[in-house]
Amino acid sequence: MTTTTANVLRSAYQESVAAYWNNNRQDSVNLLLGDVDGIYHHHYGVGDYDPSVLDGPAGTRDDRVIAELHRLETAQADVLLDHLGDVRPTDRLLDAGSGRGGGSVMANMRFGCEVDGVSISEYQVEFANEQARKRGVSDQVRFHFRNMLDTGFDGASRKAIWNNESTMYVDLFELFAEHSRQLRFGGRYVTITGCYNDVTGGRSKAVSRIDEHYTCNIHPRSAYFKAMAANRLVPMHVIDLTSATIPYWELRAKSPVATGIEESFLTAYREGSFHYLLIAADRV
Ligand SMILES: C[S@@+](CC[C@H](N)C(=O)[O-])C[C@H]1O[C@@H](n2cnc3c(N)ncnc32)[C@H](O)[C@@H]1O
């Protein structure tokens, strides 16, 4: 498939999402954290932080806090990979909405198999391919400027597919229809996502502020299960990671890479209007 901006970006909204990530080149949160070990994440973290990173000499405090935030983000990616099931070196995986590619590289390191990542940001695709080249895995880990709603990859070609914090940019019915097409029978789908709480009602103010900040459209929790059920994806694990991610946001709020959105996440999680969820489903 020839990929051009015109056939990858299909709406003014997708163009604005791509522009956001293309213009987000000097973002200190993701670059400084990724520089710790060359694994570049664009997602949040889980687990308790070590409070001692906030003590000690002021001159090295920032570096310690950054390394700790990065450790929690890597722990989040590990939780996602833990749920991909029995992946063999001969399997092929798809990282849908792959950012700067850290998750795909980690999957290749763990399973030794081929991984394709797709992003609608040409800048991110180039950055991620460069990382794969530097690590000497570009024959196994490849990033593509493609739309995850229409990747062009073969049907039933994937043992597992995941979205790490990238479902809030798309219609879930369209997304899961495409995943279902690409997954083989018995294949695994995993997402980690923020979603709003149907029980407390519609989008809270804090959730709306997060949408506005990231140009995204956070879905209600129920939407995930409706769209999975409509697309032959049967949930196997549903894990509420909300309490596990709060410490990350508390540390980030005290860090040199705070962007100002930290308080909205903390408010939304603490008031119960927003969850941080892992859902793993089997393709039947
Ligand atoms: C918050 S980042 C997550 C990146 C990555 N999954 C990670 O965990 O580091 C969201 C990603 O979704 C991608 N994205 C948004 N809409 C997309 C679409 N329709 N097709 C492919 N990628 C998309 C963006 O380009 C960006 O890379």
Side-chain angles (χ1 to χ4, degrees):
M1 180 171 76
T2 310
T3 48
T4 63
T5 305
N7 69 19
V8 175
L9 305 178
R10 302 206 166 157
S11 64
Y13 171 69
Q14 287 178 359
E15 283 172 19
S16 70
V17 172
Y20 174 91
W21 294 106
N22 283 332
N23 295 330
N24 201 29
R25 297 182 187 211
Q26 300 306 330
D27 56 319
S28 54
V29 183
N30 301 295
L31 285 177
L32 284 175
L33 270 62
D35 287 345
V36 170
D37 61 2
I39 299 281
Y40 291 86
H41 301 296
H42 270 279
H43 57 252
Y44 311 127
V46 293
D48 290 336
Y49 67 84
D50 172 0
S52 74
V53 297
L54 294 166
D55 304 329
T60 56
R61 178 182 178 274
D62 287 357
D63 288 348
R64 276 179 278 122
V65 170
I66 281 168
E68 187 65 353
L69 287 170
H70 183 65
R71 185 181 69 78
L72 301 181
E73 292 187 1
T74 297
Q76 187 264 28
D78 271 324
V79 171
L80 190 155
L81 298 182
D82 287 345
H83 288 86
L84 288 183
D86 181 20
V87 178
R88 301 294 168 97
T90 47
D91 289 327
R92 293 182 70 191
L93 307 180
L94 173 62
D95 179 357
S98 46
R100 282 194 171 103
S104 296
V105 168
M106 284 177 63
N108 171 260
M109 285 164 68
R110 187 189 287 213
F111 303 115
C113 67
E114 288 189 32
V115 187
D116 291 289
V118 296
S119 168
I120 52 172
S121 160
E122 286 174 279
Y123 160 71
Q124 285 187 331
V125 167
E126 203 178 302
F127 183 100
N129 276 326
E130 182 54 26
Q131 297 310 311
R133 259 192 301 278
K134 279 188 185 160
R135 287 181 171 269
V137 293
S138 52
D139 56 331
Q140 289 210 303
V141 184
R142 302 179 195 88
F143 297 93
H144 314 263
F145 173 50
R146 296 191 189 185
N147 196 317
M148 61 187 169
L149 299 179
D150 178 15
T151 65
F153 292 128
D154 288 344
S157 61
R158 306 289 146 170
K159 172 71 199 294
I161 298 178
W162 73 90
N163 283 102
N164 198 348
E165 295 182 14
S166 51
T167 49
M168 56 290 283
Y169 299 96
V170 292
D171 179 278
L172 293 178
F173 286 84
E174 285 181 51
L175 178 68
F176 295 160
E178 180 64 347
H179 287 350
S180 195
R181 181 188 72 76
Q182 296 168 97
L183 278 170
R184 62 189 203 220
F185 183 85
R188 177 55 65 85
Y189 171 66
V190 180
T191 182
I192 295 185
T193 187
C195 55
Y196 75 75
N197 187 354
D198 300 88
V199 177
T200 53
R203 259 181 198 76
S204 64
K205 277 200 174 128
V207 168
S208 298
R209 277 195 292 270
I210 298 168
D211 271 346
E212 171 68 24
H213 185 88
Y214 291 106
T215 318
C216 66
N217 179 28
I218 292 165
H219 302 291
R221 175 162 38 119
S222 57
Y224 284 87
F225 300 97
K226 286 179 192 159
M228 284 184 184
N231 286 292
R232 310 188 68 87
L233 294 171
V234 179
M236 183 67 187
H237 305 280
V238 180
I239 304 176
D240 182 2
L241 296 170
T242 308
S243 59
T245 195
I246 287 178
Y248 167 86
W249 286 100
E250 289 170 341
L251 181 61
R252 194 171 132 160
K254 296 176 192 153
S255 78
V257 292
T259 61
I261 197 63
E262 291 76 14
E263 283 312 316
S264 300
F265 276 89
L266 285 167
T267 301
Y269 285 139
R270 287 175 180 149
E271 74 187 5
S273 65
F274 190 46
H275 319 288
Y276 196 48
L277 226 59
L278 178 148
I279 309 170
D282 289 330
R283 163 72 163 87
V284 297

